[in-house]
Amino acid sequence: MRTSIATVCISGTLEQKMLACAKAGFDGIEIFEQDLTVSAMSPEEVKALADRLGLTLDLFQPFRDFEGVDAATLAANLARAEAKFKLMGRLGIDTILLCSNVGTATINDDALFAAQIRELGLLAAAYGVKIAYEALAWGTFVNTYLHSWRLVELVDLPNVGLCLDSFHILSRGDDPAGIETIDAEKIFFVQLADAPVLSMDILSWSRHYRVFPGEGGFELDTFMGHLVRSGYDGIVSLEIFNDVFRQSNVERTAVDGMRSLIWLQDLTCTLLGDGAQGHPLGIRALPEAQRPDGFDYAEIRTEDPEAVAGMLAQLGFTFRGQHRRKPVTLWSAGAARIIINTQRSRGITAEVSGFGIQIPDAALATERASALQAPAVPRHHTPDEQPLHGIAAPDDTEVFFGTSAAQPPWAVEFGHPHTTETGLITGIDHINLAQPWQAFDESVLFYTSTLNLAARPGTEVPSPMGLVRSQVLRTDDGAVRLALNIVPHGLENTTDRALRYPEHIALHTDDIFALARRAASAGMEFLAVPKNYYEDLAARFGLDAPTLAQLAELNLLYDRDEHGEFLHFYTETVGTMFFEVVQRRGGYDGYGAPNAPVRLAAQFERNRAMQY
Amino acid sequence: MRTSIATVCISGTLEQKMLACAKAGFDGIEIFEQDLTVSAMSPEEVKALADRLGLTLDLFQPFRDFEGVDAATLAANLARAEAKFKLMGRLGIDTILLCSNVGTATINDDALFAAQIRELGLLAAAYGVKIAYEALAWGTFVNTYLHSWRLVELVDLPNVGLCLDSFHILSRGDDPAGIETIDAEKIFFVQLADAPVLSMDILSWSRHYRVFPGEGGFELDTFMGHLVRSGYDGIVSLEIFNDVFRQSNVERTAVDGMRSLIWLQDLTCTLLGDGAQGHPLGIRALPEAQRPDGFDYAEIRTEDPEAVAGMLAQLGFTFRGQHRRKPVTLWSAGAARIIINTQRSRGITAEVSGFGIQIPDAALATERASALQAPAVPRHHTPDEQPLHGIAAPDDTEVFFGTSAAQPPWAVEFGHPHTTETGLITGIDHINLAQPWQAFDESVLFYTSTLNLAARPGTEVPSPMGLVRSQVLRTDDGAVRLALNIVPHGLENTTDRALRYPEHIALHTDDIFALARRAASAGMEFLAVPKNYYEDLAARFGLDAPTLAQLAELNLLYDRDEHGEFLHFYTETVGTMFFEVVQRRGGYDGYGAPNAPVRLAAQFERNRAMQY
């Protein structure tokens, strides 16, 4: 599939945008006019740079507010268009995007629209320009793609066709199935955008909240399926207006966009089954997606392992050995394996630096991640060591693919082939990772596409330093669960200890009372839960006094829903990480979200106290 | 008027919130239940702290999802309520907020609602608790305040009344005039919130975008007028859910909230005229608002004045002298006065540090600003110097009130009593100030209330580093115009030179071509405007070739609307400031917003170039 992206999607100068798009692997770009207008590069330089980079210049856009006007306005509009056709000649672009009129249209008459667009088409033909007409969802008179298609049919010129934009179709709730009724030869251009499910006016939604495919709520694989079946064989481009993308790193955002198109093609192939084979659009499947079977390990980086080692021991972990070659130690409890790494740890008190997942075929998962442009994490291995397949997530977390096995083959490098023993801790329940606000959408797509996780509906948790947006990504069976939290704006680089946002590893147990008691007697420091919380618990759940007393004594938190119960506690924070221990009873499948504000407030107060 | 604020409005721990509210001058607070639940302070400590701070605890809130349920749920709800009534006794709070059911109501029957609320009321009475019933705008069955009032009448208990919330009434477009038909004795509590005019679902709007009165689009003075006429004499409280306020400095946000209530009382007094006198609600007017007559001066802080002085000379400014006592120099051109200040300038290449405005009675303006809790800027003056009345804006800009006069009386301190001469520059057109994203709403209210400026609809300008939100505040006649720009998230504290957002002083001329020529021949460095811009101008406005050539030669920008024309140019940036020169022709009253992206892109490219 030939891929393109509108320059308005990403930040920086036109030159920076072009370099980033080429580097990310796009075949071409759409020149968003304003990016050219404000650029010091001449049209000839832009053309030459595109040639050098191997980028095609696919579309000049937008041309606005043309049709449905009086004769004087039409004349002015044609003059304006002619200047742009000349400019396109210098750029070597042969297609212009004509948006349906949203501002100056005064006459609602299909015949007039068609006649005026036809006049534009004839003028364009003289310059070798094709017109791709697009119905904006908020067009004054023309706002559905089937209406724009009727007009294109009325115009009946070889150089006047359609531009289809998934946002303008799906935001209105229009059925994209009608795409299959359109003559594919007359679809001149296709733009894709996803968007989160929001209830607001379509214009604001479109201008600020669009995201790359896979980062929102639209069914873009279905959309693509209709496109494939229409017979379309042209360019599929991204046109995303997003306030965050516009201020994020240009190279990363371009890769994020490219990843979304690669992922979407794979999804569409799955949807179509064999129907995708040999089709002119040329969509490509990825190496097969596999379901992760569980966490292989979680890794903590620290310059001084004593504090973390002490906590692991208090929680009931057993030291399993030092790696044969690296300054890395292995601890285990049940199926939970924790690696403490002191490499590259200068100045790091403790942080969650990565994790491994078990997957049926690690090499295949790596191949798929690589095809999704996940950056590889370099790891040397000697001939007698297991090869490590690692990728770096947008939040710098290092993720490694390990083979599904009760006994991971790499464990022998720590001198102990068998790491599993029965005990109170049974495994890793979930890992909670802090995301910088710029990388949230990118992270969701990265983790879901490379690890084959599904995104659950997000939530927001109040904290003393602002609302924390939280998003769970997981396998259906819960074997792998990640919780991504967006750190409130402005706090991500803070040097204020009280404001730094910690990450955590949640361990699972089948007897949290016994585990908490043992940890307490081993000297474990729990995050202190306020007494008010237990009084509120009593009012909300009608728990009996002895149970409440037991919970309060051990600083345990409690939640309940129609499926079951959830009990959990938090340890004190070391550096920017802490542990949680959870017990799930019955079918409880959540994460104790109602208790998260208690945790965040207690950590905030604790950190304030430690500052003095 | 007795003022209160819900603890959910502001950031921090409950203790921090209480300290900040007391310091800002609120009479009391509403305890948002979760703030207590997550707090380490016991209810008794909260009560004692409130007593020490002189804060009344006015409301316990919210109690949710009570009425319209089956018998079993009702029993559970009553048990839940009784626990809260006991808690309220320990806090010494006598009123609880009951929100109309949004979650568990299954039976739509006013008689049942009233009977169940009556049962709650009887239980509450046993604990000395009053119930303030509030219709949430998205309540399942009860979502208008007149419906909630009908139910309160049906309940017919002395301890069951209403809570009125401006957001829940105005967000639906309901007419608040009906408040006057309610028995004022039965209005137990009033909450105020403003909100920007947004088109989105009411729940999201309410939970994330509420702002303090005066920072949004609701007519809250009208709302207050109805309240006054109803005979209400109770507490008026702020209940604002705002994502930014929740992560901003707690003390500043509390003052921002207090300022909004002071300002709103004044506005309501103006609306009601004499009707506000002697009313039981006790709203108070501020010292009279006056219209500023113009800019007294603009001030630039710099550790090395040579670069700025050179630019001023190139623009045609005359050096007027050094201050008799301070390391401060005065420059003038027409009615434009620029002060260069080297005090407290270490490390500051150049910045716009403040400005003066001319106002009929500076002492009165200062008194009004002080009543609005504007922090005073300390300035010593010797007996033979003019006293200076200064306030510090949320963005740290220092604003001084000067007497309206062609010759400011302070000019003699620079040795030159007459600063005005005829020349190409006629005065200061506007000043553009960068706002940190946390302070934007606060800044709008601060400047509009203390300087008596009106906020125009905001706009957004694309730049290579993100969308820049821009908001003009001005007098009707344009004598004083401020443009506030929000710096994109994350860039406000950047050390990356290319990303720092500059401020500017815009000077007005009646002959920009002559001025630009003279400045160019004096060696002025203009911000270079790309050639592409002029080609686009030609297409958009049909300007003739000689005019375009002249514009391009002088790096002038051009805009036109139905009222007139606008020509302007920008100087190079020094430190974080630059100058703009503008000429307005005909009735053009804007700021060349379509050209702002050109400026921002050129500055971005220029700064990148200077990094190497």
Side-chain angles (χ1 to χ4, degrees), chain A residues 10-17 33-34 36-43 46 76 79-80 83-84 87 90 198-201 204 207-209 243 246-248 437-438 460 462-467 488-492 530-533 535-536 538-540 594 597-599 601-602 604-605 608, chain B residues 10-17 33-34 36-43 46 76 79-80 83-84 87 90 198-201 204 207-209 243 246-248 437-438 460 462-467 488-492 530-533 535-536 538-540 594 597-599 601-602 604-605 608:
Chain A
I10 53 182
S11 68
T13 64
L14 183 55
E15 184 183 8
Q16 288 176 310
K17 291 172 190 230
E33 184 178 6
Q34 191 169 64
L36 177 70
T37 304
V38 305
S39 173
M41 281 199 294
S42 70
V46 173
R80 180 162 59 97
K84 299 305 172 191
L87 175 60
R90 296 166 64 195
L198 295 173
S199 162
M200 58 165 55
D201 70 284
S204 302
R207 289 278 166 84
H208 300 284
Y209 297 98
D243 289 2
R246 289 181 105 131
Q247 52 183 303
S248 302
W437 59 272
Q438 305 94 325
E460 276 155 352
S463 86
M465 61 274 201
L467 288 181
H489 287 314
L491 303 187
E492 66 274 16
K531 194 156 176 292
N532 298 335
Y533 168 77
E535 295 182 357
D536 182 55
R540 284 196 290 141
V598 178
R599 191 257 288 178
F604 182 81
E605 291 224 40
R608 280 182 68 220
Chain B
I10 53 181
S11 68
T13 64
L14 183 55
E15 185 184 7
Q16 289 176 309
K17 292 172 190 230
E33 183 177 7
Q34 191 171 64
L36 177 70
T37 305
V38 306
S39 173
M41 282 198 294
S42 71
V46 173
R80 179 162 58 96
K84 298 306 172 189
L87 175 60
R90 295 167 63 196
L198 295 173
S199 164
M200 57 165 55
D201 69 285
S204 302
R207 290 279 166 82
H208 299 286
Y209 296 98
D243 289 1
R246 289 180 106 132
Q247 53 182 302
S248 302
W437 60 271
Q438 305 95 324
E460 277 156 352
S463 87
M465 61 272 201
L467 288 182
H489 287 314
L491 303 187
E492 67 274 16
K531 194 157 176 293
N532 298 335
Y533 168 76
E535 295 181 357
D536 182 54
R540 283 196 291 141
V598 179
R599 191 256 290 179
F604 183 81
E605 291 225 37
R608 281 183 67 221

Side-chain angles (χ1 to χ4, degrees), chain A residues 316-359:
Chain A
F317 276 78
T318 306
F319 170 67
R320 290 296 176 180
Q322 168 118 7
H323 190 268
R324 59 192 289 277
R325 188 171 54 81
K326 304 181 229 178
V328 167
T329 58
L330 172 64
W331 297 68
S332 80
R337 286 171 288 275
I338 304 274
I339 283 173
I340 303 182
N341 189 341
T342 57
Q343 295 179 116
R344 288 191 290 128
S345 63
R346 191 183 298 177
I348 298 171
T349 306
E351 66 173 26
V352 178
S353 56
F355 60 87
I357 62 165
Q358 296 188 326
I359 198 141

Side-chain angles (χ1 to χ4, degrees), chain B residues 184-418:
Chain B
E185 294 292 310
K186 300 299 282 184
I187 303 176
F188 284 2
F189 209 77
V190 171
Q191 293 173 325
L192 290 183
D194 203 344
V197 179
L198 295 173
S199 164
M200 57 165 55
D201 69 285
I202 295 182
L203 179 59
S204 302
W205 193 19
S206 173
R207 290 279 166 82
H208 299 286
Y209 296 98
R210 290 185 179 207
V211 285
F212 291 127
E215 297 171 355
F218 290 163
E219 291 181 3
L220 290 175
D221 52 347
T222 306
F223 183 92
M224 286 288 287
H226 294 304
L227 201 62
V228 165
R229 283 191 290 261
S230 79
Y232 179 69
D233 66 352
I235 292 161
V236 175
S237 186
L238 296 168
E239 193 201 32
I240 316 293
F241 303 93
N242 181 293
D243 289 1
V244 174
F245 295 175
R246 289 180 106 132
Q247 53 182 302
S248 302
N249 178 283
V250 59
E251 291 197 359
R252 288 180 63 142
T253 313
V255 168
D256 185 23
M258 192 66 219
R259 180 177 300 131
S260 77
L261 284 181
I262 295 167
W263 171 88
L264 180 60
Q265 290 180 65
D266 183 58
L267 216 64
T268 308
C269 287
T270 304
L271 179 82
L272 294 177
D274 288 346
Q277 295 300 321
H279 177 271
L281 191 55
I283 57 173
R284 289 177 56 184
L286 287 169
E288 188 194 347
Q290 310 164 78
R291 197 179 69 184
D293 289 311
F295 284 106
D296 202 14
Y297 65 86
E299 182 169 328
I300 296 165
R301 195 185 301 280
T302 169
E303 65 178 357
D304 175 5
E306 290 304 303
V308 173
M311 288 165 85
L312 288 174
Q314 288 161 341
L315 287 168
F317 276 76
T318 306
F319 170 66
R320 290 295 175 179
Q322 168 118 9
H323 190 269
R324 59 190 290 276
R325 188 171 54 82
K326 304 182 228 175
V328 168
T329 58
L330 173 64
W331 297 69
S332 81
R337 286 172 288 276
I338 305 276
I339 283 172
I340 303 182
N341 189 342
T342 56
Q343 295 179 115
R344 285 191 291 130
S345 64
R346 192 185 295 177
I348 298 171
T349 307
E351 66 174 25
V352 178
S353 55
F355 60 88
I357 62 165
Q358 296 188 326
I359 199 141
D361 185 338
L364 185 64
T366 307
E367 197 189 327
R368 181 179 158 93
S370 168
L372 283 159
Q373 301 204 359
V377 174
R379 279 290 184 279
H380 177 69
H381 63 97
T382 60
D384 48 354
E385 287 172 4
Q386 287 288 315
L388 292 171
H389 305 288
I391 57 176
D395 60 359
D396 290 333
T397 300
E398 294 177 345
V399 185
F400 283 84
F401 296 108
T403 306
S404 300
Q407 298 303 328
W410 51 263
V412 296
E413 295 166 22
F414 292 84
H416 280 257
H418 298 289

